[in-house]
Amino acid sequence: MMILPVLSGKTFNHNRRFPTPPRETYFDKNLIEADLGTEVGKAAVGGAAAGLLHALGLTFWFGEGSQYLKQQAAYRIPFFAGITTAFIGTRVASAKLREKDDAWCSSIAGFVAGALIGLRTGKPVRVAYSSIGLGFLAGFADNNIRIARRVLPMKHEERMQATYAALASSHPRDPFAERWKEICDRGEGEPYVEK
């Protein structure tokens, strides 16, 4: 009876007193506690799979035969595996060295992976462009994902309160509010109350 749910990738917990905890995703992982060897191994396998898919896609797109596929696979698989390994390895290592799991880890990893991508051209300018560009992009994406995962589960009212609190902390003085308080203290205005 439990065979179909297992085959379909779904598991049903019939005991309602102890619900099944949600699965940990890649973005929930704590990089400081992560095992560097395991993460690098998973990245290498994922990168090699991506490289093989890329080689297959190129072969199909250009309508070439098996010889072309072997040539592309021999180049793409190590390249993709190396880039993903460098990115994930640097990300985990920087988190462990800095003892902080934040968007800067992704920026550092993107810088290293971008430099490796730029090294293929052999031109220092392209190495600089790709490392700075990928470092900025990786940090920006990681930061936005962290914000979205923190804010999206909130209700609309909680989200707005958190936004106003962040704005208030970044701009402590509100001249309009101070002036309106002075007017209300003199009895010339009534405080605004939301209905």
Side-chain angles (χ1 to χ4, degrees), residues 151-161:
V151 170
L152 288 180
M154 296 181 184
K155 295 180 180 174
H156 178 69
E157 295 80 13
E158 295 173 348
R159 202 178 306 156
M160 296 308 293
Q161 287 175 356

Side-chain angles (χ1 to χ4, degrees), residues 53-140:
L53 287 175
H54 192 220
L56 285 169
L58 287 173
T59 305
F60 176 76
W61 182 260
F62 293 117
E64 297 289 340
S66 61
Q67 188 63 30
Y68 182 81
L69 174 61
K70 288 177 185 175
Q71 290 174 353
Q72 290 299 317
Y75 171 71
R76 306 281 172 192
I77 290 174
F79 175 71
F80 277 76
I83 295 301
T84 53
T85 301
F87 182 84
I88 297 298
T90 307
R91 189 167 180 252
V92 174
S94 63
K96 288 180 176 293
L97 288 173
R98 296 173 57 242
E99 295 182 355
K100 267 186 173 183
D101 181 5
D102 55 8
W104 283 107
C105 297
S106 293
S107 288
I108 296 166
F111 184 85
V112 171
L116 290 177
I117 292 170
L119 282 174
R120 288 190 314 161
T121 62
K123 297 181 179 178
V125 174
R126 292 203 179 169
V127 172
Y129 284 159
S130 60
S131 60
I132 292 169
L134 192 57
F136 173 78
L137 185 64
F140 181 76

Side-chain angles (χ1 to χ4, degrees), residues 28-59:
D28 294 324
K29 186 180 294 294
N30 186 351
L31 295 179
I32 300 171
E33 298 172 0
D35 181 41
L36 182 60
T38 304
E39 297 302 315
V40 165
K42 289 193 287 188
V45 170
L52 178 61
L53 287 175
H54 192 220
L56 285 169
L58 287 173
T59 305

